[in-house]
Amino acid sequence: MTKRSRRTHSPAFKAKVALAAIKGEKTLSELAQQFDVHPNQIMTWRSQLLDGAAGVFGHDKAGSAEPAVDLKALHAKIGELALENDFLSGARSKAGLLSAKK
């Protein structure tokens, strides 16, 4: 008996096989023969599809209420940098370095 080389399947193929398994129109052995994969692999892909199906419709509402970035800290930093720029531009003009503009 010869060993079969390891094959890689595209995500689209895996989804197609898993959806066929979920439909239940054919038995696992029929699907395995049709798609030339092991029935255990079909069950694995089917369970992965069912577990990840909730992610298709978005994330939890509780997680989306809090932004990933702290906006208050960013706004504070923007204000600080704007104040520093105003101060430095005023100091530059007082020192007579008007020609040092960007």
Side-chain angles (χ1 to χ4, degrees):
M1 190 163 151
T2 61
K3 283 189 174 181
R4 182 185 292 194
S5 63
R6 183 173 285 239
R7 296 178 295 170
T8 56
H9 300 287
S10 69
F13 176 77
K14 292 177 184 180
K16 179 180 170 182
V17 174
L19 284 174
I22 290 173
K23 285 181 185 176
E25 294 172 354
K26 294 184 179 180
T27 64
L28 276 179
S29 59
E30 290 173 339
L31 290 173
Q33 193 172 28
Q34 177 185 349
F35 293 110
D36 194 29
V37 292
H38 197 274
N40 290 345
Q41 188 65 63
I42 294 174
M43 288 304 297
T44 301
W45 292 341
R46 179 184 174 273
S47 64
Q48 287 175 350
L49 179 64
L50 291 174
D51 291 343
V56 172
F57 298 107
H59 301 290
D60 267 350
K61 296 296 180 190
S64 64
E66 186 67 30
V69 179
D70 186 17
L71 291 179
K72 284 187 175 185
L74 290 177
H75 286 293
K77 187 66 174 178
I78 289 171
E80 179 184 327
L81 292 174
L83 184 64
E84 186 177 322
N85 282 341
D86 290 343
F87 173 77
L88 291 175
S89 67
R92 185 179 62 199
S93 65
K94 286 182 182 177
L97 298 175
L98 290 174
S99 62
K101 288 186 178 179
K102 291 183 183 178

